């Protein structure tokens, strides 16, 4: 689907009547816009020698070349962003979308950026992380007058450093960023750089947080800390596109943080290194392996790895309330509380009251609770095996052997090899090792794994025949090598991983 109005089209039509009719704006490139929330295919301008980035649920802003200068036109304006199917919000963005389009150039490029303000208040654009003349730094009041509504300003500088940067207003900043006014900037190295690897896939996204009352459509702009929507490119799970790669690809993910808190970004199934920040490439001697890296406020992190394990691997913020939807606040802890006794009384006062949370909150993932209009559930999403119970900053790295080079399309759910999926076990079990002095918990009435262990004869301590008849019919017999073995006598009951034991 063609979602963009490319400048290539505008260039070809420069002498067409439409351009004449717009003579008042003849000096300005036509502003390209985008409202579709799908990830646009990477944009490779003719003659480009770099591998372009894919902006998750976003796009790259086309430029026009004018006497050796790359000209961009950003329009700051109110936009409607679909955060996930079922929720649309009023934000401020650039060129039809929040965040704005990614600006993608090459080290040494001369760039000219026209910024038109169609917001109801003044603004400016700060080019976060760039080397530039002080007067191009975009701090309203300090380095330039603010851009008043209706005005167009021009910024011009040379993209001197390769790396990942951001752009955002430096005028009424708290309000304008709380409304989603921001974007990413990628400068590719002009030549082979000793600290910048060639990658097969290059993804980027920007983290933003919003506070939108359930049932409403516009962020509360005076919020300082208590945000309830944790977004990547102003999208939340399950509205965030997956990162689809070919097995063996070297993958780079560039992440900027313009929220008001840090986000420990965690990738499953692979180790990565941080190869760059908004300060530039990290020398290889200063890198170390991680599976989680913190992206603090106002920072950019580039992570890189070889995607050598097939599967659907979670990529998410490790703050668990950041992988939840907007209903996450003000839910009392009810674990272990039997609400049945008071339910009648509560429902007399609050007829819609639903008892929940007494066994944890996973019920929320499956429950179809009545929600205010335009509000996403707190925990949502469904995988091949059931509800995912996620929201917010969560997506998938999909690694597939059969993914074609350069093909970014979603390959669908992973089809794991037979026998490689965790499954219910109803055979004999080793006695669980317990902390000394803790009383055994009463088995939950609905827990199929409730154990009936007596004595210490591990070989025969399995559930009774009754257990097997209750839920053993569909049990999968594991391969012989996977059969649990009794701990060897004489070994300590708590073992360190170094012993090679598999008691977890
Ligand atoms: Cu987070």
């Amino acid at each position: 689907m063609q979602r963009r109005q490319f400048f290539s089209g505008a260039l070809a039509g420069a002498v067409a009547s439409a351009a004449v009719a717009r003579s008042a704006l003849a000096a300005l490139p036509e502003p390209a816009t985008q409202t579709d929330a799908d990830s646009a295919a990477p944009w490779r301008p003719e003659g480009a020698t770099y591998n372009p980035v894919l902006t998750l649920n976003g796009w790259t802003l086309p430029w026009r070349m004018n006497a050796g200068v790359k000209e961009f036109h950003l329009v700051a304006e109110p936009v409607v962003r679909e955060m996930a199917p079922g929720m649309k919000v009023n934000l401020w963005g650039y060129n039809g979308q929040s965040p704005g389009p990614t600006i993608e150039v090459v080290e040494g490029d001369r760039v000219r950026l026209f910024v038109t303000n169609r917001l109801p208040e003044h603004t400016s654009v700060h080019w976060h992380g760039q080397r530039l003349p002080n007067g191009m730094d975009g701090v309203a009041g300090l380095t330039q007058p603010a851009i008043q509504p209706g005005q167009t300003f021009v910024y011009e500088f040379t993209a001197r450093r390769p790396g990942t940067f951001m752009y955002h207003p430096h005028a009424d900043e708290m309000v304008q960023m709380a409304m989603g006014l921001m974007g990413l900037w990628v400068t590719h190295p002009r030549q082979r750089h000793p600290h910048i690897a060639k990658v097969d896939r290059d993804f980027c996204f920007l983290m933003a947080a919003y506070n939108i009352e359930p049932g409403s459509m516009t962020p509360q702009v005076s919020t300082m800390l208590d945000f309830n929507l944790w977004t990547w490119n102003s999208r939340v799970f399950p509205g965030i596109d997956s990162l689809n790669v070919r097995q063996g690809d070297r993958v780079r993910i560039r992440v900027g943080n313009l929220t008001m808190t840090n986000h420990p970004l965690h990738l499953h199934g692979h180790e990565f290194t941080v190869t760059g920040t908004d300060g530039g490439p990290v020398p290889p001697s200063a890198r170390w392996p991680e599976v989680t890296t913190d992206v603090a406020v106002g920072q950019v992190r580039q992570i890189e790895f070889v995607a050598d394990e097939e599967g659907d691997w979670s990529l998410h913020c490790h703050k668990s309330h950041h992988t939840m939807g907007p209903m996450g606040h003000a839910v009392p802890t009810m674990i272990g509380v039997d609400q049945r006794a008071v339910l009648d009384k509560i429902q007399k006062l609050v007829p819609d009251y639903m008892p929940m949370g007494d066994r944890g909150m996973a019920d929320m993932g499956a429950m179809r609770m009545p929600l205010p209009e335009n509000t996403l559930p707190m925990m949502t999403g469904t995988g091949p095996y059931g509800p995912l119970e996620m929201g917010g900053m969560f997506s998938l790295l999909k690694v597939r052997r059969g993914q074609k080079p350069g093909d970014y399309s979603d390959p669908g759910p992973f089809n794991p090899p037979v026998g490689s999926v965790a499954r219910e076990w109803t055979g004999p079990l080793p006695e669980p090792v317990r902390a000394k002095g803790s009383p055994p918990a009463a088995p939950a009435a609905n827990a199929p794994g409730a154990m009936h262990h007596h004595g210490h004869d591990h070989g025969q301590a399995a559930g009774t025949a009754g257990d097997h008849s209750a839920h053993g019919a569909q049990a999968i017999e594991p391969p012989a090598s996977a059969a649990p073995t009794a701990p060897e006598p004489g070994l300590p009951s708590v073992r360190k991983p170094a012993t090679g034991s598999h008691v977890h």
Side-chain angles (χ1 to χ4, degrees):
M1 186 164 48
Q2 183 64 35
R3 289 183 298 260
R4 307 188 219 166
Q5 300 155 19
F6 280 100
F7 278 139
S8 53
L11 267 177
V15 291
S17 55
V20 177
R22 292 169 161 272
S23 55
L25 290 172
L28 285 178
E30 185 82 4
T33 61
Q34 170 106 308
T35 51
D36 190 308
D38 291 346
S39 303
W43 183 50
R44 190 187 299 274
E46 229 178 287
T49 52
Y50 58 86
N51 189 24
V53 294
L54 181 137
T55 305
L56 271 196
N57 300 99
W59 55 302
T60 288
L61 184 63
W63 37 261
R64 76 172 179 192
M65 194 61 92
N66 184 358
V69 180
K70 280 182 181 168
E71 289 187 335
F72 298 85
H73 189 180
L74 284 173
V75 179
E77 60 190 355
V79 302
V80 173
R81 177 67 157 169
E82 184 198 62
M83 288 207 166
M87 186 179 193
K88 288 188 172 165
V89 298
N90 297 315
L91 297 180
W92 289 356
Y94 298 98
N95 301 51
Q97 212 163 72
S98 163
T102 300
I103 304 220
E104 199 173 356
V105 298
V106 177
E107 177 188 3
D109 275 353
R110 186 77 181 164
V111 294
R112 188 175 295 135
L113 302 122
F114 300 98
V115 178
T116 299
N117 183 6
R118 289 191 193 141
L119 297 170
E121 68 168 357
H122 67 233
T123 189
S124 74
V125 185
H126 166 58
W127 313 99
H128 175 115
Q130 303 280 357
R131 289 277 183 153
L132 34 62
N134 185 237
M136 294 292 161
D137 200 36
V139 181
L142 178 68
T143 64
Q144 65 165 87
I147 311 171
Q148 296 302 324
Q151 284 185 323
T152 296
F153 269 48
V154 62
Y155 295 85
E156 186 166 331
F157 55 92
T158 299
R160 284 162 60 184
R161 286 202 296 120
T164 315
F165 310 103
M166 307 187 276
Y167 63 93
H168 62 81
H170 227 293
D172 196 12
E173 209 175 322
M174 187 174 116
V175 165
Q176 296 191 8
M177 297 221 288
M179 288 295 287
L181 204 57
M182 56 186 73
L184 277 172
W185 178 306
V186 172
T187 302
H188 295 281
R190 180 159 296 275
Q191 283 146 5
R192 190 98 176 77
H193 188 291
H195 300 165
I196 302 176
K198 279 202 158 169
V199 295
D200 302 293
R201 312 260 170 166
D202 203 337
F203 298 92
C204 61
F205 60 86
L206 196 46
M207 302 193 277
Y210 300 97
N211 181 20
I212 303 177
E213 279 289 296
S216 69
M217 238 188 122
T218 305
Q220 300 197 19
V221 293
S222 58
T223 297
M224 293 178 190
L225 291 172
D226 204 9
F227 298 89
N228 62 4
L229 278 149
W230 304 98
T231 73
W232 291 353
N233 280 351
S234 300
R235 294 277 285 183
V236 294
F237 178 80
I240 303 173
D241 279 349
S242 54
L243 294 78
N244 311 313
V245 311
R246 176 181 170 85
Q247 188 178 29
D249 273 352
R250 175 167 281 278
V251 178
R252 179 186 291 135
I253 306 175
R254 310 167 187 253
V255 187
N257 180 4
L258 289 178
T259 74
M260 294 302 118
T261 189
N262 61 314
H263 302 283
L265 196 69
H266 177 51
L267 174 63
H268 292 207
H270 297 80
E271 313 84 47
F272 59 76
T273 53
V274 174
T275 59
T277 76
D278 29 359
V282 176
S285 61
R287 301 175 188 173
W288 63 86
E290 289 278 19
V291 295
T292 304
T293 195
D294 200 21
V295 189
V297 183
Q299 285 187 335
V300 171
R301 290 291 177 268
Q302 284 178 195
I303 67 168
E304 276 173 47
F305 56 95
V306 174
D308 50 8
E309 297 285 350
E310 267 205 303
D312 284 349
W313 302 105
S314 298
L315 171 71
H316 61 93
C317 176
H318 217 291
K319 287 187 177 176
S320 46
H321 63 296
H322 292 181
T323 52
M324 278 193 152
M327 299 293 283
H329 290 170
V331 176
T333 294
M334 296 303 251
I335 292 179
V337 177
D338 186 347
Q339 300 180 70
R340 280 168 298 193
V342 290
L343 186 58
D344 274 358
K345 287 177 193 169
I346 297 175
Q347 283 183 337
K348 270 179 201 138
L349 299 167
V350 189
D352 286 341
Y353 181 79
M354 295 172 74
M356 59 188 182
D358 51 342
R359 294 177 302 168
M361 288 210 282
D363 289 352
M364 307 281 291
M367 211 181 268
R368 288 289 155 260
M369 298 192 3
L371 289 171
E373 218 177 304
N374 197 47
T375 300
L376 297 170
M378 185 172 89
M379 295 154 78
T380 186
T382 308
Y385 304 98
L388 262 76
E389 303 161 0
M390 285 283 141
M393 295 175 160
F394 181 93
S395 187
L396 296 177
L397 170 77
K398 295 193 173 193
V399 184
R400 296 291 188 279
R401 202 171 308 170
Q403 192 84 5
K404 298 259 183 321
D407 177 9
Y408 288 85
S409 62
D410 185 345
F414 182 56
N415 188 19
V418 173
S420 68
V421 176
R423 60 210 181 274
E424 186 185 5
W425 172 257
T426 55
L429 285 170
E431 185 76 8
V433 176
R434 307 186 56 80
K436 273 215 171 83
S438 70
N446 62 342
M451 281 174 283
H452 302 252
H453 287 179
H454 306 285
H456 294 89
D457 188 349
H458 302 293
Q460 295 169 21
T464 62
D467 286 321
H468 285 273
S469 61
H471 38 258
Q474 72 280 32
I476 304 161
E477 288 306 316
S481 61
T485 52
E488 289 163 43
L491 283 178
S493 57
V494 177
R495 304 194 214 172
K496 303 231 153 55
T499 64
S501 158
H502 290 90
V503 176
H504 293 296

